[in-house]
Amino acid sequence: MRKRNESVTVEHERAAAAAAAAGAVPGPLDKGCSLRHSLRLPAAAAAAAEGMKRPLGRRYGLWFRLRKLIIWLLGMYIAIPFLVKLCPAIQAKLVFLNFVRVPYFIDLKRPQDQGLNHTCNYYLQPEEDVTIGVWHTVPAALWKNARGKDQLWFEEALGSSHPVILYLHGNAGTRGGDHRVELYKVLSSLGYHVVTFDYRGWGDSIGSPSERGMTYDALHVFDWIKARSGDNPVYIWGHSLGTGVATNLVRRLCERETPPDALILESPFTNIREEARSHPFSVASRQYFPGFDWFFLDPITTSGIKFANDENVKYISCSLLILHAEDDPVVPFHLGKKLYNIAATSRSFRDYKVQFVPFHTDLGYRHKYIYRSPELPRILREFLGKSENEHHH
């Protein structure tokens, strides 16, 4: 027995000596006299092991975050269509975009801040609890006379021997939008009074937006102009969504036998449903989203939004001019051309001129820069000149 213990001790000493030679620290003996090896890895090996853990941890964390993002996007992809379907008011907001006010931080009471020194700001009240902001820009020839004048002078100026254009802007922004202001300047330089306004719910106008309300606002402003303009020609110009308001208005005016002297549609569509279906966002989405029409287009109709230009032109009896850029990314060119073809074959236009003017892609006028065309003054002079002759006859 003693010999056995001595042999174990000798073996232990040999193991300890070998461990010491290898640079390891021997561990204590446990109760069974066996050696507990708590050998430590060399510093370089430990650093390498730690370095391997970190990339693995980073890769795991990145994958976890990516997975969360994918799940979140998938949830939104499923939830948003149902939300729009259950709440058609959301889709109405996306059509009007009246909550998008650009440019920001401008005072609509001060059109002179936008370079319109011969412009007066009014407020009219089409209905109870509805107030709309209006800008009236006089012809450039009256610029000097307009300086320092009050609202009464501007109203009386509508009776001067200059034609009037009622401009109906599109969705988003306000009457102070950059491209809109530039068009007012062009039209003023050509000798026109320009009257424009923000529909209820836009800009500083008070009220809730709706197709009916927008059309009624336009009718109120038209009647306000006619009460002050005497025998001067009054033209209606609609742009983008404003073309829908314009044809609604003119159809109603023709039905009551007080048509305007001409209608100008810039970047028009056929109807709001077809425009929504043809919008670049919709075209891309419809390819990958089953039931797109049911989820996104039907709620527009449910909200009572039609802006049926294609139907309205069948009841309009005045000269019609359509302007459209071939590279329009918002309202596709083919919709403007389609509307022209409908109007040109309509019986209501048999005694009136219907003209379509395209602007080539190379010009880069897109959706809202037709005012830059050096040909625009000539186009208007030739078209509206004939309308003025028809008016006087």
Side-chain angles (χ1 to χ4, degrees), residues 13-301:
E13 290 174 352
R14 288 176 181 170
V25 180
L29 288 172
D30 60 13
K31 292 181 180 179
C33 297
S34 60
L35 182 65
R36 290 186 301 170
H37 295 281
S38 56
L39 300 179
R40 295 180 182 177
L41 290 173
E50 184 66 23
M52 290 178 64
K53 288 180 182 178
R54 285 177 185 170
L56 286 172
R58 286 198 199 100
R59 284 199 293 269
Y60 178 78
L62 181 62
W63 165 244
F64 180 74
R65 288 192 293 270
L66 182 61
R67 188 173 61 179
K68 283 182 64 176
L69 177 62
I70 292 172
I71 292 173
W72 183 82
L73 291 174
L74 184 61
M76 294 295 288
Y77 180 79
I78 296 172
I80 288 178
F82 283 98
L83 188 62
V84 170
K85 183 66 179 179
L86 295 174
C87 303
I90 295 175
Q91 191 70 322
K93 283 284 187 182
L94 295 177
V95 171
F96 297 138
L97 290 178
N98 60 301
F99 55 90
V100 179
R101 179 171 174 168
V102 288
Y104 296 99
F105 312 120
I106 70 168
D107 186 354
L108 292 172
K109 296 183 179 66
R110 294 178 52 83
Q112 60 268 31
D113 292 349
Q114 310 308 308
L116 296 171
N117 296 319
H118 48 314
T119 299
C120 186
N121 181 66
Y122 308 145
Y123 289 98
L124 303 180
Q125 190 169 14
E127 294 179 305
E128 189 177 356
D129 300 326
V130 174
T131 303
I132 57 175
V134 181
W135 281 359
H136 171 199
T137 302
V138 297
L142 302 178
W143 179 82
K144 289 184 179 179
N145 296 333
R147 286 186 295 182
K149 296 300 193 298
D150 59 9
Q151 179 174 335
L152 181 60
W153 182 90
F154 275 83
E155 290 187 33
E156 291 176 348
L158 286 169
S160 63
S161 57
H162 295 274
V164 184
I165 291 180
L166 171 57
Y167 178 78
L168 305 172
H169 68 66
N171 65 357
T174 68
R175 62 190 184 275
D178 294 340
H179 65 284
R180 294 162 187 165
V181 168
E182 293 305 314
L183 178 62
Y184 311 155
K185 293 177 181 178
V186 170
L187 297 177
S188 172
S189 70
L190 296 176
Y192 300 103
H193 288 276
V194 182
V195 178
T196 187
F197 66 96
D198 280 318
Y199 316 104
R200 61 187 71 188
W202 271 260
D204 57 354
S205 297
I206 299 171
S208 299
S210 67
E211 181 176 354
R212 186 208 68 83
M214 295 164 72
T215 303
Y216 191 82
D217 293 344
L219 177 63
H220 181 81
V221 177
F222 178 85
D223 287 341
W224 180 86
I225 292 170
K226 289 296 289 183
R228 291 158 177 77
S229 61
D231 291 331
N232 294 327
V234 178
Y235 311 120
I236 293 174
W237 185 311
H239 172 245
S240 192
L241 186 66
T243 64
V245 182
T247 61
N248 280 349
L249 169 63
V250 176
R251 175 177 176 175
R252 186 164 178 174
L253 292 175
C254 291
E255 287 173 348
R256 75 177 195 184
E257 299 182 353
T258 58
D261 294 281
L263 171 61
I264 302 167
L265 301 178
E266 178 188 358
S267 307
F269 49 85
T270 47
N271 58 72
I272 197 63
R273 187 183 179 95
E274 193 164 5
E275 152 58 12
R277 186 185 293 116
S278 302
H279 193 278
F281 171 79
S282 300
V283 170
S285 301
R286 289 176 71 223
Q287 297 177 359
Y288 306 103
F289 200 101
F292 180 88
D293 288 13
W294 187 78
F295 277 112
F296 291 100
L297 301 184
D298 289 353
I300 296 177
T301 307

Side-chain angles (χ1 to χ4, degrees), residues 296-344:
F296 291 100
L297 301 184
D298 289 353
I300 296 177
T301 307
T302 303
S303 299
I305 303 173
K306 296 180 180 178
F307 292 114
N309 290 336
D310 51 354
E311 196 62 30
N312 288 337
V313 294
K314 298 175 184 177
Y315 300 91
I316 289 176
S317 51
C318 69
S319 297
L320 172 64
L321 172 64
I322 296 178
L323 310 171
H324 213 134
E326 293 179 351
D327 58 339
D328 190 329
V330 178
V331 180
F333 177 79
H334 71 85
L335 291 185
K337 187 68 174 177
K338 182 177 179 180
L339 182 64
Y340 165 74
N341 292 333
I342 294 172

